[in-house]
Amino acid sequence: MARVPGRDNRIAIPVMVLCLGVVGALVWFAIPGMPMVLAWAGGTAGNAATMLAATPTPRAVVADGLDVAATDCRELYPDDLWNELTWTSDAILNQSTGASATAATDLVAALAPTAARTCAWTDSAGQSVVTTFATVADDAAGIAEAALRGQGFACTTTDGTLSCTADTAAGDEHQAVHGALWVTTVAGSWYPEDYDDRIAVHLWQ
């Protein structure tokens, strides 16, 4: 073996032996604590899994028997959409228990809502987006689809939610029926991105 200049085996070998001895001693002293370390790691992982499993799933508002007439508009909107609307310059919210502003007046008579909460957003430029949450019969989706298609609405059903849209005399209309809740939105030159989808996810998923 070639000799490295400046290396003295008389010093290097004892130092290497000493280092190995120190490492061996550390391992020896660490062995009794290994079961505790493994138990702690296992417990931490188990707690994390338990916490993830306990994370609540989004609540289905309709299934909870939502009383729309007694519910504030704030509870009917997801946080991100509510913030977007309230931070819009000059936006004003007017709440009422009035009927939907839909041009499909025959549908209102057919569904005969027993309670309603209307959230009307307007700004100084005259733009508006008005949404009415109404309580109807559990089988209202079938009646609504037949009536809306007959008035030129385009309809689809996804995950149990009937969604219909059309341009009407009232404005850009978006209708949704899921179970006993009927949501009507009439947009007048103001329709936030994915407005209906975000409300639907908040209410039913």
Side-chain angles (χ1 to χ4, degrees), residues 56-66 178 181 200-205:
T57 55
R59 183 171 62 91
V61 177
V62 175
D64 290 344
L66 177 67
H178 184 117
L181 186 61
V201 169
H202 175 64
L203 291 177
W204 297 309
Q205 296 182 19

Side-chain angles (χ1 to χ4, degrees), residues 144-153 155:
E145 182 172 10
L148 291 170
R149 286 187 183 277
Q151 297 184 47
F153 279 76
C155 298

Side-chain angles (χ1 to χ4, degrees), residues 18-47:
L18 179 61
C19 290
L20 291 174
V22 171
V23 171
L26 291 175
V27 171
W28 175 261
F29 286 116
I31 287 175
M34 287 303 294
M36 296 178 61
V37 173
L38 293 175
W40 173 83
T44 301
N47 289 338

Side-chain angles (χ1 to χ4, degrees), residues 134-187:
T135 302
V136 292
D138 290 337
D139 60 351
I143 299 172
E145 182 172 10
L148 291 170
R149 286 187 183 277
Q151 297 184 47
F153 279 76
C155 298
T156 60
T157 299
T158 304
D159 295 331
T161 300
L162 170 69
S163 300
C164 301
T165 60
D167 288 326
T168 70
D172 182 13
E173 286 203 40
H174 301 255
Q175 306 274 358
V177 182
H178 184 117
L181 186 61
W182 172 32
V183 181
T184 301
T185 296
V186 178

